[in-house]
Amino acid sequence: MSDSIFKLQLLARSELALTQIRTRRAVSKSTYIAFALVLFLLGIGMLNVAGFLALETSFSPAKSALIIACANGIGGVIVLLLSQKAGPSDNEERMAKEVREMAYRELSEDVEEVKDRLGNLAQEVSNIGEDISRATGVLRFLLGLLKK
């Protein structure tokens, strides 16, 4: 019985570990994305204006705007790529998943064993009930003979 409790505890701990890993990963990614967005919102306006004004002297206004837009896109892609690598590694999650699956398998085996035992117990109780029924039938018959 304590083995089953240990397996349940292991399952609960692996589920908790997976949840914590996923939460940390989501928080890390969200933090990077939020930080990147704040930086872009604060800095992009002034950078765009300054870049545009600097490039406008060398290029036409349309080409200057295109160059600034491309630079903004490249910066955004770099920050998004950095955010994808943030948080716990995939190996941590894989290990926690393996522990969870092992605990599920072990618990399933325990449940099947308990089901088998309960099935056997039910059959034995049924057999005992039949034996008692036969014995009472014989006793009634014998009592009936004694009364006559």
Side-chain angles (χ1 to χ4, degrees):
M1 185 66 161
S2 65
D3 192 36
S4 296
I5 292 173
F6 172 75
K7 291 174 187 174
L8 282 172
Q9 288 173 338
L10 181 64
L11 179 63
R13 287 182 182 163
S14 66
E15 288 292 340
L16 180 62
L18 279 171
T19 302
Q20 289 173 342
I21 289 168
R22 289 178 183 143
T23 302
R24 286 193 330 238
R25 180 180 290 141
V27 167
S28 295
K29 285 183 179 184
S30 299
T31 302
Y32 274 107
I33 290 171
F35 184 68
L37 289 176
V38 167
L39 288 179
F40 278 130
L41 291 176
L42 293 175
I44 256 187
M46 291 305 294
L47 182 64
N48 286 342
V49 170
F52 178 77
L53 291 175
L55 290 172
E56 190 178 30
T57 59
S58 302
F59 301 102
S60 70
K63 285 184 182 178
S64 298
L66 180 62
I67 291 170
I68 295 297
C70 289
N72 289 338
I74 290 170
V77 167
I78 289 170
V79 172
L80 287 176
L81 289 175
L82 288 175
S83 74
Q84 295 299 318
K85 295 181 181 179
S89 69
D90 290 335
N91 289 334
E92 285 182 75
E93 186 175 5
R94 190 176 317 118
M95 181 184 70
K97 283 181 180 179
E98 287 173 3
V99 169
R100 178 184 66 184
E101 293 305 318
M102 180 188 69
Y104 274 134
R105 274 194 313 272
E106 293 291 324
L107 284 173
S108 293
E109 290 172 6
D110 289 349
V111 166
E112 289 301 320
E113 183 180 332
V114 169
K115 282 182 182 178
D116 290 342
R117 286 183 182 177
L118 287 175
N120 290 340
L121 180 64
Q123 183 62 37
E124 289 176 12
V125 167
S126 176
N127 290 343
I128 290 171
E130 289 174 7
D131 291 343
I132 290 174
S133 177
R134 285 187 209 126
T136 55
V138 168
L139 284 175
R140 283 184 195 155
F141 176 73
L142 290 176
L143 287 174
L145 288 177
L146 288 175
K147 287 183 181 178
K148 291 184 180 180

